[in-house]
Amino acid sequence: MRTGLVVVLTIFLLSCLNIKAQESVLHLQMHDKSPFSLVLNDVHFKDIRTSYTIRNVPPGVHLLKIVKPRANRKTGRIIFADYIRIPEGKEIFAYLDSDKIFRVHDAKDLYAERKSSQRPDDPYISDNRNQTITPENKQPSNQTKVETETSANTPAPGMNSAVFNQLKSEVKEQSYDDTRLSMSKNAISGENKINCAQLGELIDVFSFEAGKLELTKYAYPYLTDKDSFTGLFNRFKFESSKAELSKLGSNK
């Protein structure tokens, strides 16, 4: 009897631990970054977006439908309907390729990152597919490192700390980058400027580089320490993004 009770308690405890491990995050885009809506199982996400971030997805098999909007019509056209398998405890970056096949660009553990194969129409690499990686652009220059360290040690005056921390917390709670972007833009203004260290913390909250880049370009006129602007470059993965930011830095 005692052995049976121990077995039951063990199974119960393991199942409780498994519930915590079930939560996964799914990021989804089209290969050409075009807008869409989707249905996951019985949940219909009606907003038309260029990217979706769905949190708390349990592991297992799920029915995914991707819907493309039609001009001047209330209903869209289903371009993908199939079952997908979600692993446990992962942050998944997926997309629908040009052949309308569901593909996973990358899947990250809670504490580690695992690389995967890439296709030419993978939207997560489309911005730098033609870039040649050299020792010079693999690592930020010494000058960039020095500027980053200087900025971190002696940050310039910027947004009030309490106001910024509240903003960052609210932005972090949002599920989608476009909502984060709108909220951040509304908070940054000529009367409520920001420094590079604060901007770096804010863009780190975003899931996709497109949102990081747009916010950085928007916030540039309101930076109090433009001399430290290049210190933000190492927060960007794509060389094309860094090139756009360099144009801003050259017009100080």
Side-chain angles (χ1 to χ4, degrees):
M1 182 68 179
R2 180 177 297 178
T3 302
L5 181 60
V6 170
V7 171
V8 171
L9 288 174
T10 302
I11 294 173
F12 175 76
L13 290 173
L14 289 174
S15 65
C16 290
L17 291 173
N18 189 48
I19 291 174
K20 284 188 176 181
Q22 283 180 350
E23 296 183 357
S24 292
V25 177
L26 173 63
H27 303 286
L28 183 61
Q29 291 190 76
M30 298 297 294
H31 70 96
D32 55 359
K33 300 184 180 179
S34 57
F36 66 99
S37 62
L38 63 85
V39 180
L40 187 65
N41 298 327
D42 296 325
V43 180
H44 190 177
F45 297 82
K46 296 182 179 180
D47 291 344
I48 298 174
R49 302 175 179 272
T50 57
S51 65
Y52 269 90
T53 298
I54 306 172
R55 302 183 184 279
N56 303 320
V57 182
V61 177
H62 302 270
L63 177 60
L64 173 67
K65 297 179 182 179
I66 297 179
V67 183
K68 292 286 288 184
R70 291 175 174 174
N72 302 320
R73 295 191 185 183
K74 292 183 179 179
T75 58
R77 175 171 59 93
I78 297 176
I79 62 170
F80 176 87
D82 204 348
Y83 289 93
I84 62 171
R85 182 174 294 277
I86 300 296
E88 188 174 71
K90 299 285 187 179
E91 183 174 17
I92 303 158
F93 295 84
Y95 66 100
L96 195 68
D97 72 11
S98 53
D99 296 321
K100 295 183 174 56
I101 297 174
F102 178 85
R103 296 188 181 277
V104 175
H105 163 81
D106 203 356
K108 301 179 181 179
D109 290 327
L110 293 176
Y111 308 103
E113 181 175 346
R114 177 176 59 84
K115 293 184 178 180
S116 61
S117 59
Q118 299 173 337
R119 279 177 52 94
D121 61 355
D122 186 334
Y124 296 98
I125 62 168
S126 60
D127 289 340
N128 71 337
R129 65 179 67 171
N130 295 322
Q131 295 292 330
T132 300
I133 299 177
T134 64
E136 286 73 18
N137 61 28
K138 273 187 176 179
Q139 298 293 336
S141 65
N142 291 334
Q143 181 181 358
T144 301
K145 291 180 180 178
V146 170
E147 288 173 347
T148 305
E149 293 171 359
T150 302
S151 176
N153 292 333
T154 56
M159 191 178 294
N160 176 274
S161 297
V163 174
F164 173 75
N165 289 334
Q166 179 66 24
L167 170 64
K168 181 182 174 183
S169 177
E170 291 177 357
V171 169
K172 194 172 184 178
E173 290 175 358
Q174 306 307 310
S175 299
Y176 306 108
D177 270 5
D178 52 356
T179 308
R180 294 175 180 134
L181 182 61
S182 176
M183 183 177 293
S184 300
K185 284 183 175 180
N186 289 336
I188 300 171
S189 65
E191 297 180 355
N192 207 15
K193 294 186 177 182
I194 193 170
N195 62 40
C196 287
Q198 292 172 332
L199 179 57
E201 290 184 38
L202 203 55
I203 63 176
D204 282 348
V205 174
F206 283 65
S207 300
F208 299 106
E209 183 140 326
K212 298 174 188 278
L213 180 61
E214 185 172 345
L215 178 59
T216 303
K217 291 166 66 175
Y218 172 84
Y220 181 78
Y222 307 111
L223 289 174
T224 60
D225 54 348
K226 291 187 176 68
D227 289 340
S228 300
F229 182 63
T230 55
L232 293 172
F233 288 14
N234 60 358
R235 283 182 156 88
F236 290 84
K237 178 179 178 181
F238 300 144
E239 292 301 321
S240 57
S241 299
K242 297 176 184 179
E244 284 195 52
L245 295 178
S246 295
K247 294 177 184 178
L248 294 176
S250 63
N251 296 322
K252 294 187 286 186

